Amino acid sequence: MQIIDGKKIAELIKTEIAQEVKELITRYGKAPHLAAILVGEDGGSVTYVNHKVKTCNELGFESTLINYPSNVSETELLNKIEELNNNTDIHGFIVQLPLPNHIDEQKIIEAVSVSKDVDGFNPLNVGRMSIGLPAFISATPQGIIFLLERYNIETAGKNCIILGRSNIVGKPMATLMARKGYPGNSTVTICHSNTKDLKEHTLKADIIIAALGKPEFVTADMVKEGAVVIDVGTTRVISQETKTGWKLKGDVKFDEVAPKTSYITPVPGGVGPMTIVSLMKNTLIAAKNAFTSNVR
Ligand code: GUN
């Protein structure tokens, strides 16, 4: 069994990106510039956005954080998005989700220009990805693809079971694992809350990607000997062991599942660190496209 070290791979890719940023600055006199819109003060969202801004600084990117109170109107937000779409100094931007209930999240997602949608949430990017056109791919699935690649994990002809069908992880992950190419060429099954006899599916899996948000859902009896297990879960559970009073739990019961696997991602330190790196990589691509005026 080998533990997939997401933290190490993330650092490696960050070094590569930082090097490319230096080259871009030398060549074009400008660094990639990511903007983030944060609405309200949800603890998780504030932490994530701050982490994204910090990573921008580490890599030599420009960053702009735009804060709004939770009662901001949808119109005001849409106006800001329009402004960012037209601002040539900004190469990519994100609107941190979730948004307050009075705002139509889908409308916001669709307002972000395809060429600056570094989250890859705009349906046009999702559609482009699904038919194999160049597109921004959402950060978590892209991060998993990077991990499979960096560990040279064979995916062709493998049975890949995806647990969860979210727009952000499950669905794009299924598309990527089934596509022609590497990583890909897997036979993919998406399982979800209505799936019957789930264990029958998981026991056939050479690769399990667990993204259902239920702590320790995947147990040893559900996993075939030698399977590759990718754990996307990051649920905060109350804990006496940490200063914060909580700790992150994955969707996989790591201690009992790990000995059966060929590769497994831990939580934390597996998929998590890769997501921000993927966002940075998308922003780098957006900047390069802007510098070379490639239309995507
Ligand atoms: N909320 C949780 N994950 C994400 C993400 O990847 N991007 C954005 N914009 N919001 C999120």
Side-chain angles (χ1 to χ4, degrees):
M1 181 267 294
Q2 191 173 352
I3 292 181
I4 296 178
D5 190 343
K7 219 170 148 189
K8 188 180 89 184
I9 302 297
E11 286 308 316
L12 207 70
I13 298 179
K14 278 202 255 178
T15 311
E16 293 166 7
I17 295 175
Q19 181 56 38
E20 276 205 65
V21 171
K22 277 191 195 140
E23 287 163 18
L24 287 179
I25 292 172
T26 308
R27 188 148 175 208
Y28 300 104
K30 281 187 277 190
H33 188 165
L34 175 70
I37 298 178
L38 175 62
V39 178
E41 286 165 8
D42 170 83
S45 292
V46 171
T47 309
Y48 285 133
V49 169
N50 286 340
H51 201 169
K52 288 168 187 176
V53 169
K54 188 172 147 257
T55 310
C56 280
N57 296 338
E58 258 178 69
L59 301 185
F61 286 27
E62 302 271 344
S63 64
T64 299
L65 176 56
I66 302 152
N67 281 291
Y68 283 107
S70 56
N71 64 357
V72 65
S73 72
E74 188 179 280
T75 309
E76 196 172 343
L77 215 48
L78 287 168
N79 287 342
K80 177 52 79 175
I81 291 172
E82 185 60 16
E83 187 190 309
L84 294 174
N85 282 341
N86 293 323
N87 181 345
T88 51
D89 287 336
I90 306 268
H91 305 117
F93 67 96
I94 62 158
V95 182
Q96 187 66 25
L97 304 178
L99 292 169
N101 287 338
H102 67 279
I103 296 171
D104 180 345
E105 218 163 77
Q106 197 55 33
K107 203 164 163 185
I108 296 297
I109 286 172
E110 291 183 36
V112 177
S113 133
V114 179
S115 60
K116 297 194 179 186
D117 171 37
V118 285
D119 256 335
F121 291 171
N122 186 312
L124 280 168
N125 268 318
V126 179
R128 288 177 65 90
M129 175 203 62
S130 74
I131 59 170
L133 293 174
F136 291 118
I137 298 172
S138 76
T140 304
Q142 180 62 68
I144 294 169
I145 291 295
F146 285 146
L147 288 178
L148 294 170
E149 244 169 18
R150 300 277 167 147
Y151 277 83
N152 284 315
I153 292 172
E154 184 55 83
T155 57
K158 302 293 181 190
N159 286 329
C160 174
I161 301 293
I162 295 169
L163 303 178
R165 56 181 158 183
S166 69
N167 289 344
I168 296 182
V169 185
K171 282 189 215 139
M173 202 64 237
T175 303
L176 293 168
M177 293 305 285
R179 72 179 169 180
K180 244 182 194 159
Y182 177 76
N185 284 330
S186 292
T187 305
V188 177
T189 307
I190 302 182
C191 296
H192 46 72
S193 47
N194 285 316
T195 299
K196 288 197 182 124
D197 304 319
L198 180 65
K199 205 167 133 179
E200 273 180 32
H201 292 284
T202 58
L203 279 172
K204 284 190 199 132
D206 304 302
I207 302 169
I208 296 178
I209 300 174
L212 69 168
K214 289 193 179 163
E216 303 193 322
F217 181 87
V218 178
T219 45
D221 59 315
M222 297 167 73
V223 178
K224 184 169 86 169
E225 202 66 46
V228 175
V229 175
I230 307 290
D231 189 349
V232 184
T234 51
T235 309
R236 285 183 182 189
V237 296
I238 294 166
S239 166
Q240 325 281 13
E241 298 162 32
T242 60
K243 271 192 232 149
T244 53
W246 55 266
K247 70 179 194 183
L248 279 188
K249 274 254 185 278
D251 288 348
V252 177
K253 206 161 190 181
F254 185 88
D255 290 346
E256 64 173 53
V257 171
K260 291 186 88 174
T261 64
S262 54
Y263 292 91
I264 186 165
T265 59
V267 175
V271 174
M274 296 300 296
T275 58
I276 289 189
V277 165
S278 303
L279 175 68
M280 297 299 139
K281 189 99 185 196
N282 279 347
T283 308
L284 178 74
I285 293 168
K288 280 204 246 177
N289 288 342
F291 296 158
T292 56
S293 297
N294 275 350
V295 177
R296 287 171 71 94

